[in-house]
């Protein structure tokens, strides 16, 4: 299994644990996307962000 496939599989586990434990939000770093995990978290109204890096995507304030 390649690194990308492992990352994808790991995200499903993380999302499922977050749902089970009643976590309020999940954030997957830039380049990490799992649509199935997203659907499961949204099904229980858990906030989820995928493929985001605020440090890169939000211009410096100042």
């Amino acid at each position: 299994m390649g690194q990308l496939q492992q990352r994808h599989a790991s995200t499903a586990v993380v999302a499922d644990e977050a749902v089970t434990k009643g976590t309020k939000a999940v954030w997957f770093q830039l380049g990490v996307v799992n649509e199935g995990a997203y659907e499961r978290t949204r099904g229980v109204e858990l906030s989820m962000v995928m493929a985001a890096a605020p440090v890169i995507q939000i211009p410096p304030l100042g």
Side-chain angles (χ1 to χ4, degrees), residues 16 28 31-32 34 36 39 61-62:
D16 291 342
F28 292 165
V32 178
N34 184 321
E39 291 302 321
L61 301 174

Side-chain angles (χ1 to χ4, degrees), residues 10-23 26 40-41 46:
S10 297
T11 58
V13 172
V14 169
D16 291 342
E17 285 182 10
V19 168
T20 302
K21 293 180 179 184
T23 303
V26 176
R40 289 193 297 281
T41 60
L46 187 150

Side-chain angles (χ1 to χ4, degrees), residues 2-62:
Q3 183 179 3
L4 183 57
Q5 289 173 324
Q6 288 175 338
R7 184 181 295 172
H8 180 80
S10 297
T11 58
V13 172
V14 169
D16 291 342
E17 285 182 10
V19 168
T20 302
K21 293 180 179 184
T23 303
K24 294 181 182 181
V26 176
W27 171 35
F28 292 165
Q29 68 185 20
L30 191 62
V32 178
V33 176
N34 184 321
E35 295 296 333
Y38 177 78
E39 291 302 321
R40 289 193 297 281
T41 60
R42 298 304 298 154
V44 295
E45 297 183 11
L46 187 150
S47 296
M48 183 168 185
V49 176
M50 290 189 298
V55 169
I56 297 170
Q57 296 170 314
I58 299 173
L61 301 174

